[in-house]
């Protein structure tokens, strides 16, 4: 049973560019959350998707947007990249909205130059 | 405002020792308290979690102690091994569908 998968593993972009990160949830899971983890910090919640809708959002600007597809996979898009967006972006899935347990993927390391 | 404060920032113990990592929170409405383990280059993995209706929970070598009145919870790792060297995060969550709020992490090194 595949766990949460994310692509790409690493990504290098320059300031002002746009990036799209992808996530496939664990089999049987329908809820996807995205987190940003800066170096030496704990993960910070960006937003959550369920039934193809954004259900909750953390304290992140509108430059951060997402999407969930009918197969429950998800994308995170970041526009107008800033140096401060350099971080590990983590996707987590859970079996449903009510579940406490979240399973994290390995993350995508984004470097903005 | 930091909703959960984790300490220490780093910890070095000898193999077989019992590292203890602490977290303190402010909001009594939190009702789910997990600990995650993260190895370099990997995502966090759920280790163990507790709810406020119990004071202690053990899973293998990992134990959570929960002090509701003090608004603190801690992770104990029994008989620690070099393979336990990782960064550990506590987290808190309100009831219902709310996001996890993580501490800043503790880097644990277990030396042989």
């Amino acid at each position: 049973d595949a766990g949460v998968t994310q692509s790409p593993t690493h990504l290098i972009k320059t300031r002002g560019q746009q990036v799209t990160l992808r996530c496939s949830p664990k089999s049987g899971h329908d809820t996807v959350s995205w987190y940003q983890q800066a170096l030496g910090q704990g993960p910070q919640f960006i937003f959550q998707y369920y039934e193809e809708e954004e259900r909750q959002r953390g304290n992140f600007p509108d430059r951060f947007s997402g999407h969930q597809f009918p197969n429950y996979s998800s994308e995170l898009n970041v526009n107008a990249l800033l140096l401060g967006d350099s971080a590990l972006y983590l996707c987590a899935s859970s079996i449903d909205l009510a579940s406490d347990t979240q399973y994290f993927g390995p993350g995508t390391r984004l470097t903005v130059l | 405002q930091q909703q959960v404060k984790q300490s220490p920032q780093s910890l070095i113990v000898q193999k077989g020792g019992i590292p203890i990592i602490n977290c303190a929170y402010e909001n009594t409405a939190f009702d789910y308290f997990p600990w995650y383990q993260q190895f370099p280059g990997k995502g966090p993995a759920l280790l163990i979690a507790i709810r406020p209706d119990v004071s202690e929970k053990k899973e293998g070598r990992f134990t959570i102690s929960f002090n509701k009145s003090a608004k603190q919870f801690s992770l104990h790792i029994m008989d620690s091994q070099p393979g336990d060297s990782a960064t550990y995060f506590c987290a808190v969550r309100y009831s219902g569908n709310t996001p996890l709020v993580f501490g800043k992490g503790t880097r644990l090194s277990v030396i042989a």
Side-chain angles (χ1 to χ4, degrees):
Chain A
D1 175 28
V4 178
T5 60
Q6 292 186 244
S7 64
T9 306
H10 297 90
L11 205 50
I12 300 175
K13 293 285 188 178
T14 56
R15 281 178 295 175
Q17 285 189 311
Q18 177 264 344
V19 69
T20 298
L21 311 182
R22 295 175 176 82
C23 170
S24 291
K26 189 174 167 65
S27 177
H29 288 193
D30 62 11
T31 303
V32 173
S33 298
W34 286 92
Y35 292 81
Q36 180 194 65
Q37 186 176 20
L39 203 60
Q41 301 293 317
Q44 267 198 293
F45 175 74
I46 303 174
F47 42 53
Q48 177 196 64
Y49 277 85
Y50 173 73
E51 291 188 340
E52 302 179 52
E53 288 187 11
E54 182 182 295
R55 297 292 176 149
Q56 296 186 71
R57 189 178 185 91
N59 188 24
F60 279 81
D62 292 344
R63 298 187 297 110
F64 289 77
S65 63
H67 189 77
Q68 185 179 36
F69 299 93
N71 67 352
Y72 309 122
S73 67
S74 177
E75 287 182 350
L76 163 66
N77 301 293
V78 187
N79 294 322
L81 284 168
L82 303 174
L83 296 179
D85 295 332
S86 295
L88 181 67
Y89 288 85
L90 295 162
C91 171
S93 74
S94 50
I95 199 163
D96 56 38
L97 268 183
S99 174
D100 289 320
T101 305
Q102 294 189 15
Y103 295 84
F104 283 82
T108 293
R109 172 71 62 187
L110 173 65
T111 302
V112 182
L113 301 177
Chain B
Q1 181 186 358
Q2 198 176 343
Q3 298 192 63
V4 58
K5 294 184 180 180
Q6 184 172 344
S7 62
Q9 191 172 359
S10 62
L11 189 54
I12 301 173
V13 299
Q14 296 274 358
K15 178 183 173 183
I18 305 176
I20 300 172
I21 305 171
N22 301 297
C23 279
Y25 61 96
E26 288 295 322
N27 197 322
T28 56
F30 292 132
D31 81 338
Y32 176 67
F33 304 87
W35 284 92
Y36 281 82
Q37 178 189 58
Q38 187 176 28
F39 293 105
K42 305 289 185 182
L46 179 64
L47 263 181
I48 186 172
I50 198 168
R51 293 196 178 277
D53 53 346
V54 296
S55 60
E56 186 177 275
K57 183 176 180 180
K58 289 184 181 181
E59 286 187 4
R61 296 185 294 109
F62 300 95
T63 299
I64 296 181
S65 296
F66 185 81
N67 187 329
K68 190 173 182 178
S69 60
K71 292 185 285 186
Q72 293 178 349
F73 60 111
S74 59
L75 176 70
H76 302 231
I77 305 175
M78 307 302 175
D79 187 28
S80 59
Q81 302 296 314
D84 296 328
S85 298
T87 300
Y88 293 81
F89 294 95
C90 65
V92 295
R93 180 180 167 168
Y94 295 103
S95 62
N97 178 34
T98 59
L100 290 170
V101 178
F102 285 84
K104 291 191 173 184
T106 296
R107 179 175 286 186
L108 172 66
S109 296
V110 182
I111 55 177

